[in-house]
Amino acid sequence: MRILALGGTWFLGKQIVAEALSRGWEVTTFNRGRSGCDVAGVRAVHGDRTEAGDLERLAAFGPWDAVVDTSSADMPPRDVLRAVRVLEGQVARWVHVSTVSVYKGWPHQPLAESSPVLDCPVDADETFGYTGPGGSPTVYGFQKAGAERAVAQAFGDRSVFLRPGVILGPEEYVGRLPWWLHRAARGGRILAPGPAGRRIQPVDVRDVAAFAVDQAAATTSGPYNVTHPQGITFQGFLEACLAVTQAAGKPVWADPDVLIEHGVTPWTELPLWRAQAGVWAVDPNRAVDAGLRCQPLVETVANTWKWLQADGRPVDHPRWAEHGIAPDKEAKILAALS
């Protein structure tokens, strides 16, 4: 197999490259060379995918059996469309990393691949879409839906769309799991979003990478919800954080209404928490049937702490600073709960 990884130097892209190399595949990566280092063993091509000339230079290195695109998260559909048009003649199959945010019903409703998707033109720029009053839908969701449409327009049944919710694991750049681990390590009373038994569905980056590489070699097509089929309760998640950090901490569970009353921002101040019923009700059975295998999330927690303890440093990213509640605000809420 000869594959092209758009990205390939950090977090999911890096794991996809490592997985493909471990299978003996020939891997070309394409990125700007600014975020992370090229993985040993790849043919690295540097350039900007928003520049037609750079894409045309890349195309000369083809053909490839598949492309796996992890680098379009912050790009408008028109930039994805540009890459698709230039590379279409050099790529047999396109595996596109998307998001559950493309669904009209997320995070309010349970979702399957048959659920309606947001509408966005294939040539939309970064201004298309809107964010609803409750934080849903989002501009991001519209943009990713348009990107999917751009790929599908060219590749049809040779395209695959991976729709993860939250990806965790070593080298995470967003900072969700690292924040909870560092908070657990501080110990004491820990503000925790109730109910304790609510099950969450984040998935390990290495499991997403393995599934993406599987799909690069497969003949199936269409969307796959890449979420953990078993998941873990929030209580189990925090217990795992406390266990690996060996901290003397105690979660103090607060009802969602109480957190909202105190102005806690969902998803960021308490990472992985949102009150809507559909946040963690995303059906992954189609992906499981196609070979998705997910390790227990307690292992993801342990491996991420091991990475952090080994001076793990993610690629610098502005989203890292968004996550986590300020200690004084947490203390004030905990005092009110006493």
mmCIF file with all atom_site columns, all heavy atoms in Angstrom, residues 96-123:
data_model
loop_
_atom_site.group_PDB
_atom_site.id
_atom_site.type_symbol
_atom_site.label_atom_id
_atom_site.label_alt_id
_atom_site.label_comp_id
_atom_site.label_asym_id
_atom_site.label_entity_id
_atom_site.label_seq_id
_atom_site.pdbx_PDB_ins_code
_atom_site.Cartn_x
_atom_site.Cartn_y
_atom_site.Cartn_z
_atom_site.occupancy
_atom_site.B_iso_or_equiv
_atom_site.pdbx_formal_charge
_atom_site.auth_seq_id
_atom_site.auth_comp_id
_atom_site.auth_asym_id
_atom_site.auth_atom_id
_atom_site.pdbx_PDB_model_num
ATOM 1   N N   . HIS A 1 96  ? -11.368 10.640 5.191  1.00 0.00 ? 96  HIS A N   1
ATOM 2   C CA  . HIS A 1 96  ? -11.450 12.005 5.694  1.00 0.00 ? 96  HIS A CA  1
ATOM 3   C C   . HIS A 1 96  ? -11.852 11.998 7.164  1.00 0.00 ? 96  HIS A C   1
ATOM 4   O O   . HIS A 1 96  ? -12.899 11.449 7.526  1.00 0.00 ? 96  HIS A O   1
ATOM 5   C CB  . HIS A 1 96  ? -12.484 12.789 4.875  1.00 0.00 ? 96  HIS A CB  1
ATOM 6   C CG  . HIS A 1 96  ? -12.476 14.255 5.127  1.00 0.00 ? 96  HIS A CG  1
ATOM 7   N ND1 . HIS A 1 96  ? -11.547 15.095 4.548  1.00 0.00 ? 96  HIS A ND1 1
ATOM 8   C CD2 . HIS A 1 96  ? -13.276 15.042 5.886  1.00 0.00 ? 96  HIS A CD2 1
ATOM 9   C CE1 . HIS A 1 96  ? -11.781 16.338 4.936  1.00 0.00 ? 96  HIS A CE1 1
ATOM 10  N NE2 . HIS A 1 96  ? -12.815 16.329 5.765  1.00 0.00 ? 96  HIS A NE2 1
ATOM 11  N N   . VAL A 1 97  ? -11.030 12.603 8.012  1.00 0.00 ? 97  VAL A N   1
ATOM 12  C CA  . VAL A 1 97  ? -11.355 12.695 9.431  1.00 0.00 ? 97  VAL A CA  1
ATOM 13  C C   . VAL A 1 97  ? -12.271 13.893 9.641  1.00 0.00 ? 97  VAL A C   1
ATOM 14  O O   . VAL A 1 97  ? -11.876 15.049 9.437  1.00 0.00 ? 97  VAL A O   1
ATOM 15  C CB  . VAL A 1 97  ? -10.093 12.816 10.292 1.00 0.00 ? 97  VAL A CB  1
ATOM 16  C CG1 . VAL A 1 97  ? -10.473 12.938 11.765 1.00 0.00 ? 97  VAL A CG1 1
ATOM 17  C CG2 . VAL A 1 97  ? -9.188  11.593 10.082 1.00 0.00 ? 97  VAL A CG2 1
ATOM 18  N N   . SER A 1 98  ? -13.494 13.620 10.045 1.00 0.00 ? 98  SER A N   1
ATOM 19  C CA  . SER A 1 98  ? -14.518 14.641 10.231 1.00 0.00 ? 98  SER A CA  1
ATOM 20  C C   . SER A 1 98  ? -14.884 14.715 11.714 1.00 0.00 ? 98  SER A C   1
ATOM 21  O O   . SER A 1 98  ? -14.003 14.625 12.575 1.00 0.00 ? 98  SER A O   1
ATOM 22  C CB  . SER A 1 98  ? -15.734 14.303 9.352  1.00 0.00 ? 98  SER A CB  1
ATOM 23  O OG  . SER A 1 98  ? -16.693 15.331 9.380  1.00 0.00 ? 98  SER A OG  1
ATOM 24  N N   . THR A 1 99  ? -16.155 14.855 12.045 1.00 0.00 ? 99  THR A N   1
ATOM 25  C CA  . THR A 1 99  ? -16.568 15.062 13.428 1.00 0.00 ? 99  THR A CA  1
ATOM 26  C C   . THR A 1 99  ? -18.063 14.802 13.590 1.00 0.00 ? 99  THR A C   1
ATOM 27  O O   . THR A 1 99  ? -18.831 14.953 12.620 1.00 0.00 ? 99  THR A O   1
ATOM 28  C CB  . THR A 1 99  ? -16.277 16.516 13.867 1.00 0.00 ? 99  THR A CB  1
ATOM 29  O OG1 . THR A 1 99  ? -16.897 16.789 15.122 1.00 0.00 ? 99  THR A OG1 1
ATOM 30  C CG2 . THR A 1 99  ? -16.816 17.510 12.853 1.00 0.00 ? 99  THR A CG2 1
ATOM 31  N N   . VAL A 1 100 ? -18.486 14.452 14.796 1.00 0.00 ? 100 VAL A N   1
ATOM 32  C CA  . VAL A 1 100 ? -19.925 14.306 15.058 1.00 0.00 ? 100 VAL A CA  1
ATOM 33  C C   . VAL A 1 100 ? -20.648 15.646 14.997 1.00 0.00 ? 100 VAL A C   1
ATOM 34  O O   . VAL A 1 100 ? -21.881 15.687 14.923 1.00 0.00 ? 100 VAL A O   1
ATOM 35  C CB  . VAL A 1 100 ? -20.187 13.648 16.432 1.00 0.00 ? 100 VAL A CB  1
ATOM 36  C CG1 . VAL A 1 100 ? -19.660 12.228 16.477 1.00 0.00 ? 100 VAL A CG1 1
ATOM 37  C CG2 . VAL A 1 100 ? -19.595 14.481 17.574 1.00 0.00 ? 100 VAL A CG2 1
ATOM 38  N N   . SER A 1 101 ? -19.901 16.741 14.989 1.00 0.00 ? 101 SER A N   1
ATOM 39  C CA  . SER A 1 101 ? -20.521 18.072 14.912 1.00 0.00 ? 101 SER A CA  1
ATOM 40  C C   . SER A 1 101 ? -21.219 18.316 13.580 1.00 0.00 ? 101 SER A C   1
ATOM 41  O O   . SER A 1 101 ? -21.957 19.301 13.448 1.00 0.00 ? 101 SER A O   1
ATOM 42  C CB  . SER A 1 101 ? -19.474 19.163 15.149 1.00 0.00 ? 101 SER A CB  1
ATOM 43  O OG  . SER A 1 101 ? -18.952 19.096 16.455 1.00 0.00 ? 101 SER A OG  1
ATOM 44  N N   . VAL A 1 102 ? -21.016 17.455 12.591 1.00 0.00 ? 102 VAL A N   1
ATOM 45  C CA  . VAL A 1 102 ? -21.702 17.633 11.305 1.00 0.00 ? 102 VAL A CA  1
ATOM 46  C C   . VAL A 1 102 ? -23.190 17.300 11.411 1.00 0.00 ? 102 VAL A C   1
ATOM 47  O O   . VAL A 1 102 ? -23.976 17.689 10.544 1.00 0.00 ? 102 VAL A O   1
ATOM 48  C CB  . VAL A 1 102 ? -21.076 16.776 10.179 1.00 0.00 ? 102 VAL A CB  1
ATOM 49  C CG1 . VAL A 1 102 ? -19.615 17.149 9.975  1.00 0.00 ? 102 VAL A CG1 1
ATOM 50  C CG2 . VAL A 1 102 ? -21.239 15.290 10.445 1.00 0.00 ? 102 VAL A CG2 1
ATOM 51  N N   . TYR A 1 103 ? -23.601 16.596 12.462 1.00 0.00 ? 103 TYR A N   1
ATOM 52  C CA  . TYR A 1 103 ? -25.003 16.211 12.588 1.00 0.00 ? 103 TYR A CA  1
ATOM 53  C C   . TYR A 1 103 ? -25.860 17.377 13.076 1.00 0.00 ? 103 TYR A C   1
ATOM 54  O O   . TYR A 1 103 ? -25.479 18.100 14.012 1.00 0.00 ? 103 TYR A O   1
ATOM 55  C CB  . TYR A 1 103 ? -25.146 15.054 13.578 1.00 0.00 ? 103 TYR A CB  1
ATOM 56  C CG  . TYR A 1 103 ? -24.589 13.742 13.074 1.00 0.00 ? 103 TYR A CG  1
ATOM 57  C CD1 . TYR A 1 103 ? -23.497 13.144 13.694 1.00 0.00 ? 103 TYR A CD1 1
ATOM 58  C CD2 . TYR A 1 103 ? -25.167 13.085 11.993 1.00 0.00 ? 103 TYR A CD2 1
ATOM 59  C CE1 . TYR A 1 103 ? -22.989 11.941 13.250 1.00 0.00 ? 103 TYR A CE1 1
ATOM 60  C CE2 . TYR A 1 103 ? -24.664 11.874 11.531 1.00 0.00 ? 103 TYR A CE2 1
ATOM 61  C CZ  . TYR A 1 103 ? -23.570 11.307 12.163 1.00 0.00 ? 103 TYR A CZ  1
ATOM 62  O OH  . TYR A 1 103 ? -23.076 10.113 11.711 1.00 0.00 ? 103 TYR A OH  1
ATOM 63  N N   . LYS A 1 104 ? -27.035 17.515 12.452 1.00 0.00 ? 104 LYS A N   1
ATOM 64  C CA  . LYS A 1 104 ? -27.967 18.554 12.889 1.00 0.00 ? 104 LYS A CA  1
ATOM 65  C C   . LYS A 1 104 ? -28.387 18.350 14.341 1.00 0.00 ? 104 LYS A C   1
ATOM 66  O O   . LYS A 1 104 ? -28.628 19.319 15.062 1.00 0.00 ? 104 LYS A O   1
ATOM 67  C CB  . LYS A 1 104 ? -29.215 18.542 11.993 1.00 0.00 ? 104 LYS A CB  1
ATOM 68  C CG  . LYS A 1 104 ? -28.994 19.030 10.580 1.00 0.00 ? 104 LYS A CG  1
ATOM 69  C CD  . LYS A 1 104 ? -30.302 19.023 9.792  1.00 0.00 ? 104 LYS A CD  1
ATOM 70  C CE  . LYS A 1 104 ? -30.103 19.531 8.375  1.00 0.00 ? 104 LYS A CE  1
ATOM 71  N NZ  . LYS A 1 104 ? -31.369 19.499 7.595  1.00 0.00 ? 104 LYS A NZ  1
ATOM 72  N N   . GLY A 1 105 ? -28.486 17.108 14.779 1.00 0.00 ? 105 GLY A N   1
ATOM 73  C CA  . GLY A 1 105 ? -29.009 16.826 16.108 1.00 0.00 ? 105 GLY A CA  1
ATOM 74  C C   . GLY A 1 105 ? -27.990 16.799 17.221 1.00 0.00 ? 105 GLY A C   1
ATOM 75  O O   . GLY A 1 105 ? -28.371 16.642 18.392 1.00 0.00 ? 105 GLY A O   1
ATOM 76  N N   . TRP A 1 106 ? -26.707 16.966 16.902 1.00 0.00 ? 106 TRP A N   1
ATOM 77  C CA  . TRP A 1 106 ? -25.708 16.920 17.983 1.00 0.00 ? 106 TRP A CA  1
ATOM 78  C C   . TRP A 1 106 ? -25.605 18.279 18.662 1.00 0.00 ? 106 TRP A C   1
ATOM 79  O O   . TRP A 1 106 ? -25.566 19.300 17.982 1.00 0.00 ? 106 TRP A O   1
ATOM 80  C CB  . TRP A 1 106 ? -24.331 16.532 17.424 1.00 0.00 ? 106 TRP A CB  1
ATOM 81  C CG  . TRP A 1 106 ? -23.374 16.157 18.516 1.00 0.00 ? 106 TRP A CG  1
ATOM 82  C CD1 . TRP A 1 106 ? -23.215 14.938 19.096 1.00 0.00 ? 106 TRP A CD1 1
ATOM 83  C CD2 . TRP A 1 106 ? -22.463 17.031 19.190 1.00 0.00 ? 106 TRP A CD2 1
ATOM 84  N NE1 . TRP A 1 106 ? -22.265 14.990 20.080 1.00 0.00 ? 106 TRP A NE1 1
ATOM 85  C CE2 . TRP A 1 106 ? -21.790 16.267 20.164 1.00 0.00 ? 106 TRP A CE2 1
ATOM 86  C CE3 . TRP A 1 106 ? -22.161 18.388 19.085 1.00 0.00 ? 106 TRP A CE3 1
ATOM 87  C CZ2 . TRP A 1 106 ? -20.837 16.809 21.012 1.00 0.00 ? 106 TRP A CZ2 1
ATOM 88  C CZ3 . TRP A 1 106 ? -21.211 18.934 19.936 1.00 0.00 ? 106 TRP A CZ3 1
ATOM 89  C CH2 . TRP A 1 106 ? -20.557 18.142 20.888 1.00 0.00 ? 106 TRP A CH2 1
ATOM 90  N N   . PRO A 1 107 ? -25.568 18.317 19.994 1.00 0.00 ? 107 PRO A N   1
ATOM 91  C CA  . PRO A 1 107 ? -25.491 17.221 20.970 1.00 0.00 ? 107 PRO A CA  1
ATOM 92  C C   . PRO A 1 107 ? -26.827 16.902 21.648 1.00 0.00 ? 107 PRO A C   1
ATOM 93  O O   . PRO A 1 107 ? -26.835 16.359 22.748 1.00 0.00 ? 107 PRO A O   1
ATOM 94  C CB  . PRO A 1 107 ? -24.521 17.791 22.001 1.00 0.00 ? 107 PRO A CB  1
ATOM 95  C CG  . PRO A 1 107 ? -24.894 19.260 22.053 1.00 0.00 ? 107 PRO A CG  1
ATOM 96  C CD  . PRO A 1 107 ? -25.285 19.621 20.642 1.00 0.00 ? 107 PRO A CD  1
ATOM 97  N N   . HIS A 1 108 ? -27.928 17.230 21.008 1.00 0.00 ? 108 HIS A N   1
ATOM 98  C CA  . HIS A 1 108 ? -29.225 17.133 21.680 1.00 0.00 ? 108 HIS A CA  1
ATOM 99  C C   . HIS A 1 108 ? -29.886 15.765 21.542 1.00 0.00 ? 108 HIS A C   1
ATOM 100 O O   . HIS A 1 108 ? -30.693 15.381 22.395 1.00 0.00 ? 108 HIS A O   1
ATOM 101 C CB  . HIS A 1 108 ? -30.164 18.214 21.139 1.00 0.00 ? 108 HIS A CB  1
ATOM 102 C CG  . HIS A 1 108 ? -29.604 19.598 21.245 1.00 0.00 ? 108 HIS A CG  1
ATOM 103 N ND1 . HIS A 1 108 ? -29.575 20.289 22.431 1.00 0.00 ? 108 HIS A ND1 1
ATOM 104 C CD2 . HIS A 1 108 ? -29.015 20.400 20.322 1.00 0.00 ? 108 HIS A CD2 1
ATOM 105 C CE1 . HIS A 1 108 ? -29.008 21.471 22.227 1.00 0.00 ? 108 HIS A CE1 1
ATOM 106 N NE2 . HIS A 1 108 ? -28.662 21.557 20.958 1.00 0.00 ? 108 HIS A NE2 1
ATOM 107 N N   . GLN A 1 109 ? -29.586 15.036 20.472 1.00 0.00 ? 109 GLN A N   1
ATOM 108 C CA  . GLN A 1 109 ? -30.303 13.802 20.164 1.00 0.00 ? 109 GLN A CA  1
ATOM 109 C C   . GLN A 1 109 ? -29.340 12.626 20.012 1.00 0.00 ? 109 GLN A C   1
ATOM 110 O O   . GLN A 1 109 ? -28.193 12.824 19.597 1.00 0.00 ? 109 GLN A O   1
ATOM 111 C CB  . GLN A 1 109 ? -31.095 13.975 18.856 1.00 0.00 ? 109 GLN A CB  1
ATOM 112 C CG  . GLN A 1 109 ? -32.047 15.143 18.849 1.00 0.00 ? 109 GLN A CG  1
ATOM 113 C CD  . GLN A 1 109 ? -32.536 15.456 17.440 1.00 0.00 ? 109 GLN A CD  1
ATOM 114 O OE1 . GLN A 1 109 ? -32.205 14.769 16.473 1.00 0.00 ? 109 GLN A OE1 1
ATOM 115 N NE2 . GLN A 1 109 ? -33.338 16.506 17.321 1.00 0.00 ? 109 GLN A NE2 1
ATOM 116 N N   . PRO A 1 110 ? -29.810 11.420 20.292 1.00 0.00 ? 110 PRO A N   1
ATOM 117 C CA  . PRO A 1 110 ? -29.023 10.224 19.937 1.00 0.00 ? 110 PRO A CA  1
ATOM 118 C C   . PRO A 1 110 ? -28.788 10.200 18.430 1.00 0.00 ? 110 PRO A C   1
ATOM 119 O O   . PRO A 1 110 ? -29.661 10.598 17.650 1.00 0.00 ? 110 PRO A O   1
ATOM 120 C CB  . PRO A 1 110 ? -29.909 9.066  20.394 1.00 0.00 ? 110 PRO A CB  1
ATOM 121 C CG  . PRO A 1 110 ? -30.797 9.658  21.441 1.00 0.00 ? 110 PRO A CG  1
ATOM 122 C CD  . PRO A 1 110 ? -31.053 11.072 21.005 1.00 0.00 ? 110 PRO A CD  1
ATOM 123 N N   . LEU A 1 111 ? -27.615 9.726  18.014 1.00 0.00 ? 111 LEU A N   1
ATOM 124 C CA  . LEU A 1 111 ? -27.237 9.830  16.610 1.00 0.00 ? 111 LEU A CA  1
ATOM 125 C C   . LEU A 1 111 ? -26.733 8.515  16.044 1.00 0.00 ? 111 LEU A C   1
ATOM 126 O O   . LEU A 1 111 ? -26.063 7.742  16.729 1.00 0.00 ? 111 LEU A O   1
ATOM 127 C CB  . LEU A 1 111 ? -26.136 10.882 16.449 1.00 0.00 ? 111 LEU A CB  1
ATOM 128 C CG  . LEU A 1 111 ? -26.504 12.322 16.827 1.00 0.00 ? 111 LEU A CG  1
ATOM 129 C CD1 . LEU A 1 111 ? -25.266 13.184 16.861 1.00 0.00 ? 111 LEU A CD1 1
ATOM 130 C CD2 . LEU A 1 111 ? -27.528 12.877 15.853 1.00 0.00 ? 111 LEU A CD2 1
ATOM 131 N N   . ALA A 1 112 ? -27.060 8.293  14.779 1.00 0.00 ? 112 ALA A N   1
ATOM 132 C CA  . ALA A 1 112 ? -26.489 7.215  13.976 1.00 0.00 ? 112 ALA A CA  1
ATOM 133 C C   . ALA A 1 112 ? -26.058 7.833  12.649 1.00 0.00 ? 112 ALA A C   1
ATOM 134 O O   . ALA A 1 112 ? -26.342 9.006  12.370 1.00 0.00 ? 112 ALA A O   1
ATOM 135 C CB  . ALA A 1 112 ? -27.508 6.105  13.761 1.00 0.00 ? 112 ALA A CB  1
ATOM 136 N N   . GLU A 1 113 ? -25.370 7.041  11.818 1.00 0.00 ? 113 GLU A N   1
ATOM 137 C CA  . GLU A 1 113 ? -24.890 7.575  10.549 1.00 0.00 ? 113 GLU A CA  1
ATOM 138 C C   . GLU A 1 113 ? -26.023 8.035  9.638  1.00 0.00 ? 113 GLU A C   1
ATOM 139 O O   . GLU A 1 113 ? -25.801 8.853  8.733  1.00 0.00 ? 113 GLU A O   1
ATOM 140 C CB  . GLU A 1 113 ? -24.038 6.532  9.824  1.00 0.00 ? 113 GLU A CB  1
ATOM 141 C CG  . GLU A 1 113 ? -22.668 6.302  10.437 1.00 0.00 ? 113 GLU A CG  1
ATOM 142 C CD  . GLU A 1 113 ? -22.683 5.286  11.567 1.00 0.00 ? 113 GLU A CD  1
ATOM 143 O OE1 . GLU A 1 113 ? -23.784 4.794  11.925 1.00 0.00 ? 113 GLU A OE1 1
ATOM 144 O OE2 . GLU A 1 113 ? -21.602 4.982  12.102 1.00 0.00 ? 113 GLU A OE2 1
ATOM 145 N N   . SER A 1 114 ? -27.221 7.523  9.863  1.00 0.00 ? 114 SER A N   1
ATOM 146 C CA  . SER A 1 114 ? -28.371 7.924  9.056  1.00 0.00 ? 114 SER A CA  1
ATOM 147 C C   . SER A 1 114 ? -28.986 9.244  9.506  1.00 0.00 ? 114 SER A C   1
ATOM 148 O O   . SER A 1 114 ? -29.888 9.774  8.844  1.00 0.00 ? 114 SER A O   1
ATOM 149 C CB  . SER A 1 114 ? -29.442 6.835  9.107  1.00 0.00 ? 114 SER A CB  1
ATOM 150 O OG  . SER A 1 114 ? -29.853 6.602  10.453 1.00 0.00 ? 114 SER A OG  1
ATOM 151 N N   . SER A 1 115 ? -28.502 9.809  10.602 1.00 0.00 ? 115 SER A N   1
ATOM 152 C CA  . SER A 1 115 ? -29.049 11.073 11.104 1.00 0.00 ? 115 SER A CA  1
ATOM 153 C C   . SER A 1 115 ? -28.745 12.221 10.142 1.00 0.00 ? 115 SER A C   1
ATOM 154 O O   . SER A 1 115 ? -27.697 12.224 9.478  1.00 0.00 ? 115 SER A O   1
ATOM 155 C CB  . SER A 1 115 ? -28.470 11.384 12.484 1.00 0.00 ? 115 SER A CB  1
ATOM 156 O OG  . SER A 1 115 ? -28.774 10.367 13.416 1.00 0.00 ? 115 SER A OG  1
ATOM 157 N N   . PRO A 1 116 ? -29.634 13.216 10.050 1.00 0.00 ? 116 PRO A N   1
ATOM 158 C CA  . PRO A 1 116 ? -29.419 14.334 9.115  1.00 0.00 ? 116 PRO A CA  1
ATOM 159 C C   . PRO A 1 116 ? -28.147 15.114 9.435  1.00 0.00 ? 116 PRO A C   1
ATOM 160 O O   . PRO A 1 116 ? -27.757 15.278 10.592 1.00 0.00 ? 116 PRO A O   1
ATOM 161 C CB  . PRO A 1 116 ? -30.657 15.206 9.329  1.00 0.00 ? 116 PRO A CB  1
ATOM 162 C CG  . PRO A 1 116 ? -31.685 14.296 9.915  1.00 0.00 ? 116 PRO A CG  1
ATOM 163 C CD  . PRO A 1 116 ? -30.936 13.308 10.741 1.00 0.00 ? 116 PRO A CD  1
ATOM 164 N N   . VAL A 1 117 ? -27.520 15.597 8.369  1.00 0.00 ? 117 VAL A N   1
ATOM 165 C CA  . VAL A 1 117 ? -26.268 16.345 8.462  1.00 0.00 ? 117 VAL A CA  1
ATOM 166 C C   . VAL A 1 117 ? -26.535 17.803 8.084  1.00 0.00 ? 117 VAL A C   1
ATOM 167 O O   . VAL A 1 117 ? -27.415 18.104 7.271  1.00 0.00 ? 117 VAL A O   1
ATOM 168 C CB  . VAL A 1 117 ? -25.211 15.715 7.530  1.00 0.00 ? 117 VAL A CB  1
ATOM 169 C CG1 . VAL A 1 117 ? -23.960 16.577 7.435  1.00 0.00 ? 117 VAL A CG1 1
ATOM 170 C CG2 . VAL A 1 117 ? -24.852 14.318 8.031  1.00 0.00 ? 117 VAL A CG2 1
ATOM 171 N N   . LEU A 1 118 ? -25.774 18.712 8.654  1.00 0.00 ? 118 LEU A N   1
ATOM 172 C CA  . LEU A 1 118 ? -25.892 20.133 8.333  1.00 0.00 ? 118 LEU A CA  1
ATOM 173 C C   . LEU A 1 118 ? -25.617 20.379 6.850  1.00 0.00 ? 118 LEU A C   1
ATOM 174 O O   . LEU A 1 118 ? -24.881 19.639 6.201  1.00 0.00 ? 118 LEU A O   1
ATOM 175 C CB  . LEU A 1 118 ? -24.911 20.938 9.191  1.00 0.00 ? 118 LEU A CB  1
ATOM 176 C CG  . LEU A 1 118 ? -25.163 20.913 10.697 1.00 0.00 ? 118 LEU A CG  1
ATOM 177 C CD1 . LEU A 1 118 ? -23.952 21.471 11.449 1.00 0.00 ? 118 LEU A CD1 1
ATOM 178 C CD2 . LEU A 1 118 ? -26.418 21.701 11.049 1.00 0.00 ? 118 LEU A CD2 1
ATOM 179 N N   . ASP A 1 119 ? -26.189 21.447 6.344  1.00 0.00 ? 119 ASP A N   1
ATOM 180 C CA  . ASP A 1 119 ? -26.070 21.761 4.920  1.00 0.00 ? 119 ASP A CA  1
ATOM 181 C C   . ASP A 1 119 ? -25.047 22.873 4.725  1.00 0.00 ? 119 ASP A C   1
ATOM 182 O O   . ASP A 1 119 ? -25.148 23.948 5.334  1.00 0.00 ? 119 ASP A O   1
ATOM 183 C CB  . ASP A 1 119 ? -27.432 22.198 4.374  1.00 0.00 ? 119 ASP A CB  1
ATOM 184 C CG  . ASP A 1 119 ? -27.439 22.348 2.868  1.00 0.00 ? 119 ASP A CG  1
ATOM 185 O OD1 . ASP A 1 119 ? -26.567 21.751 2.219  1.00 0.00 ? 119 ASP A OD1 1
ATOM 186 O OD2 . ASP A 1 119 ? -28.312 23.059 2.344  1.00 0.00 ? 119 ASP A OD2 1
ATOM 187 N N   . CYS A 1 120 ? -24.057 22.601 3.879  1.00 0.00 ? 120 CYS A N   1
ATOM 188 C CA  . CYS A 1 120 ? -23.023 23.599 3.603  1.00 0.00 ? 120 CYS A CA  1
ATOM 189 C C   . CYS A 1 120 ? -22.493 23.372 2.192  1.00 0.00 ? 120 CYS A C   1
ATOM 190 O O   . CYS A 1 120 ? -22.219 22.236 1.810  1.00 0.00 ? 120 CYS A O   1
ATOM 191 C CB  . CYS A 1 120 ? -21.885 23.476 4.617  1.00 0.00 ? 120 CYS A CB  1
ATOM 192 S SG  . CYS A 1 120 ? -20.509 24.631 4.364  1.00 0.00 ? 120 CYS A SG  1
ATOM 193 N N   . PRO A 1 121 ? -22.323 24.424 1.400  1.00 0.00 ? 121 PRO A N   1
ATOM 194 C CA  . PRO A 1 121 ? -21.800 24.264 0.040  1.00 0.00 ? 121 PRO A CA  1
ATOM 195 C C   . PRO A 1 121 ? -20.346 23.792 0.038  1.00 0.00 ? 121 PRO A C   1
ATOM 196 O O   . PRO A 1 121 ? -19.584 24.064 0.965  1.00 0.00 ? 121 PRO A O   1
ATOM 197 C CB  . PRO A 1 121 ? -21.909 25.681 -0.553 1.00 0.00 ? 121 PRO A CB  1
ATOM 198 C CG  . PRO A 1 121 ? -22.846 26.424 0.328  1.00 0.00 ? 121 PRO A CG  1
ATOM 199 C CD  . PRO A 1 121 ? -22.703 25.822 1.688  1.00 0.00 ? 121 PRO A CD  1
ATOM 200 N N   . VAL A 1 122 ? -19.961 23.123 -1.038 1.00 0.00 ? 122 VAL A N   1
ATOM 201 C CA  . VAL A 1 122 ? -18.597 22.590 -1.135 1.00 0.00 ? 122 VAL A CA  1
ATOM 202 C C   . VAL A 1 122 ? -17.559 23.692 -1.289 1.00 0.00 ? 122 VAL A C   1
ATOM 203 O O   . VAL A 1 122 ? -16.375 23.473 -0.999 1.00 0.00 ? 122 VAL A O   1
ATOM 204 C CB  . VAL A 1 122 ? -18.473 21.603 -2.306 1.00 0.00 ? 122 VAL A CB  1
ATOM 205 C CG1 . VAL A 1 122 ? -19.380 20.411 -2.100 1.00 0.00 ? 122 VAL A CG1 1
ATOM 206 C CG2 . VAL A 1 122 ? -18.764 22.282 -3.646 1.00 0.00 ? 122 VAL A CG2 1
ATOM 207 N N   . ASP A 1 123 ? -17.981 24.870 -1.760 1.00 0.00 ? 123 ASP A N   1
ATOM 208 C CA  . ASP A 1 123 ? -17.035 25.955 -1.986 1.00 0.00 ? 123 ASP A CA  1
ATOM 209 C C   . ASP A 1 123 ? -17.173 27.074 -0.956 1.00 0.00 ? 123 ASP A C   1
ATOM 210 O O   . ASP A 1 123 ? -16.721 28.203 -1.173 1.00 0.00 ? 123 ASP A O   1
ATOM 211 C CB  . ASP A 1 123 ? -17.208 26.527 -3.392 1.00 0.00 ? 123 ASP A CB  1
ATOM 212 C CG  . ASP A 1 123 ? -18.627 27.033 -3.653 1.00 0.00 ? 123 ASP A CG  1
ATOM 213 O OD1 . ASP A 1 123 ? -19.513 26.808 -2.801 1.00 0.00 ? 123 ASP A OD1 1
ATOM 214 O OD2 . ASP A 1 123 ? -18.832 27.652 -4.715 1.00 0.00 ? 123 ASP A OD2 1
#
